[in-house]
Amino acid sequence: MSAALAVLDALSAVLLLTMLAVALLNLATAPRLERAGEPRETPLVSVLVPARDEAANLRANLPHLLASGYPRLEILVLDDRSGDGTASVAADLARLHPGRLRVVSGAPLPRGWLGKNWACDQLAREARGDVLLFCDADVAARPRAVTRTVALMLRMRADAVTAIPRQRFGTLAEAAAVPLIAQLPVAATLPLALVPRTATPSLAMANGQWLAFTREGYDHIGGHAAVRGEVLEDVHLGRAVKRAGLRLVAAMATHDLSVRMYGGWADVRRGFGKNVYALLGARPGTFAAGVAIFALAAVYPWLAALRGTPLALAALAMLVGIRIAAAALFRHGWRAVALHPLGAVLALRIAAASFRTRRWIEWRGRTVEVGAD
């Protein structure tokens, strides 16, 4: 038993040392949207907002987009057959901003498509811009966000730019689970500075909350039609950019963008429940391996440290260091670090639920079959 525990201690320590190195590298070198400067040109930008039952978010966040300082901008909101007044909120704002904001009525969901992918496809076909910028309804954008996204795209000669917002938390469950599931894997496993410098699809990162393409690049990879049935459509779009030989840039945008993804534990459970199985490979074997690696990195060090061995204590110290580096990178604050043990428990619970419901996705009143093992 002691020999087996020693092996686990060593594996955990090696894994965490690698993750700590990546997290510190990102803290030092990750591209940052606020440093993008001014664009040398001003192509027409279409900001595309898919919205299903998003009346409250549109009321709060559309005014931020409308206040953008970018000079050549159109904003399109697609009402995806909502039942909560989404269309009327968007229409009221469109009347106040004629020529800058348009509202599109969504068509029925075709077979084989997931709802957000279909909404984004419709928006892209309606857009007139040279740059297509997909933005989730729950994202609050500061006035320079669009300008800096265009500047970064032009300066890096990129075909696609994605940005990572600062997360806002309203409950303990959100602060515990959201950073651990949504952002720690990026901070500790993917050197963001390497994303535009390599052609490897596995070193791709795309965040559908804020994801911009040149029109040519979007059409070249087939747009959202090419990922119509994918739960993690943004991840697949990012990989498609790399596979096509195009350039992708991923940047931190914690000063220009913020988002509250979920409103409490029930939303966290449902939201991540539809994604985690796909995130871990969408196969039982890869899912089991992913959960095992997560447990080795995020859970085991706390248990091993109770034995007080030097290697186990070093592993726990590295885990804490990773969480501190990620909190600094994403501007989470200390609460997210202190809640790590709770977050790990919640993440394992979400993973189990995601595996049980892996053949069906339920979100915003829709239930869609996504395939079998």
Side-chain angles (χ1 to χ4, degrees), residues 290-340:
V291 170
I293 292 170
F294 173 82
L296 189 62
V299 179
Y300 180 76
W302 295 93
L303 303 176
L306 296 175
R307 291 184 278 111
T309 65
L311 192 57
L313 293 173
L316 180 59
M318 285 187 281
L319 174 56
V320 173
I322 291 166
R323 291 307 311 261
I324 292 172
L329 181 66
F330 294 117
R331 298 178 63 211
H332 286 157
W334 285 100
R335 183 168 61 152
V337 179
L339 290 172
H340 176 93

Side-chain angles (χ1 to χ4, degrees), residues 269-295:
R269 186 183 68 245
R270 284 194 299 268
F272 283 133
K274 68 182 175 61
N275 294 337
V276 166
Y277 184 70
L279 189 64
L280 295 179
R283 293 289 185 274
T286 58
F287 175 82
V291 170
I293 292 170
F294 173 82

Side-chain angles (χ1 to χ4, degrees), residues 47 62-71 73 75 100 141-147:
V47 177
L62 261 185
H64 294 290
L65 284 174
L66 289 163
S68 171
Y70 189 76
L73 181 70
I75 301 170
R100 193 165 174 88
R142 297 185 70 179
R144 304 295 293 167
V146 175
T147 300

Side-chain angles (χ1 to χ4, degrees), residues 36-373:
E38 295 294 321
R40 61 179 182 270
E41 303 167 21
T42 54
L44 177 62
V45 174
S46 298
V47 177
L48 308 177
V49 184
R52 180 173 171 85
D53 295 337
E54 295 281 11
N57 279 325
L58 292 181
R59 194 177 291 112
N61 297 324
L62 261 185
H64 294 290
L65 284 174
L66 289 163
S68 171
Y70 189 76
R72 301 186 63 211
L73 181 70
E74 67 167 8
I75 301 170
L76 279 69
V77 174
L78 184 132
D79 171 37
D80 188 13
R81 307 172 76 81
S82 302
D84 71 339
T86 288
S88 62
V89 170
D92 288 345
L93 286 167
R95 281 190 289 272
L96 295 174
H97 300 273
R100 193 165 174 88
L101 172 61
R102 279 194 289 143
V103 183
V104 179
S105 296
L109 183 67
R111 183 175 178 82
W113 285 79
L114 294 184
K116 182 180 178 181
N117 303 346
W118 173 235
C120 289
D121 179 81
Q122 294 174 82
L123 284 164
R125 285 188 274 113
E126 289 281 343
R128 298 180 292 113
D130 305 301
V131 174
L132 306 180
L133 199 169
F134 296 92
C135 172
D136 282 358
D138 55 6
V139 172
R142 297 185 70 179
R144 304 295 293 167
V146 175
T147 300
R148 288 169 173 168
T149 300
V150 174
L152 185 61
M153 177 176 279
L154 294 174
R155 179 165 59 83
M156 297 293 291
R157 298 178 182 176
D159 301 281
V161 169
T162 192
I164 305 171
R166 180 178 61 86
Q167 294 284 342
R168 304 192 309 270
F169 311 121
T171 65
L172 289 179
E174 293 167 62
V178 172
L180 191 58
I181 298 173
Q183 293 188 317
L184 193 65
V186 174
T189 67
L190 179 62
L192 294 175
L194 295 183
V195 171
R197 292 176 170 81
T198 68
T200 307
S202 60
L203 283 176
M205 188 273 164
N207 174 26
Q209 294 169 333
W210 191 266
L211 178 56
F213 298 90
T214 63
R215 168 67 79 170
E216 294 84 355
Y218 182 80
D219 290 343
H220 184 73
I221 65 173
H224 282 82
V227 296
R228 65 189 66 186
E230 298 292 350
V231 177
L232 300 175
E233 84 292 337
D234 48 1
V235 173
H236 288 276
L237 286 169
R239 291 173 182 168
V241 171
K242 288 287 196 82
R243 284 196 299 269
L246 304 179
R247 196 170 203 198
L248 170 68
V249 174
M252 300 302 305
T254 55
H255 291 273
D256 287 293
L257 304 171
S258 66
V259 63
R260 184 180 179 188
M261 291 177 65
Y262 303 118
W265 166 242
D267 273 357
V268 170
R269 186 183 68 245
R270 284 194 299 268
F272 283 133
K274 68 182 175 61
N275 294 337
V276 166
Y277 184 70
L279 189 64
L280 295 179
R283 293 289 185 274
T286 58
F287 175 82
V291 170
I293 292 170
F294 173 82
L296 189 62
V299 179
Y300 180 76
W302 295 93
L303 303 176
L306 296 175
R307 291 184 278 111
T309 65
L311 192 57
L313 293 173
L316 180 59
M318 285 187 281
L319 174 56
V320 173
I322 291 166
R323 291 307 311 261
I324 292 172
L329 181 66
F330 294 117
R331 298 178 63 211
H332 286 157
W334 285 100
R335 183 168 61 152
V337 179
L339 290 172
H340 176 93
L342 174 62
V345 172
L346 296 180
L348 290 174
R349 182 175 174 183
I350 290 167
S354 185
F355 183 78
R356 287 196 303 271
T357 59
R358 63 193 181 278
R359 298 185 182 184
W360 298 89
I361 296 297
E362 189 280 322
W363 189 245
R364 303 283 185 185
R366 286 183 176 136
T367 302
V368 181
E369 186 175 9
V370 293
D373 298 331

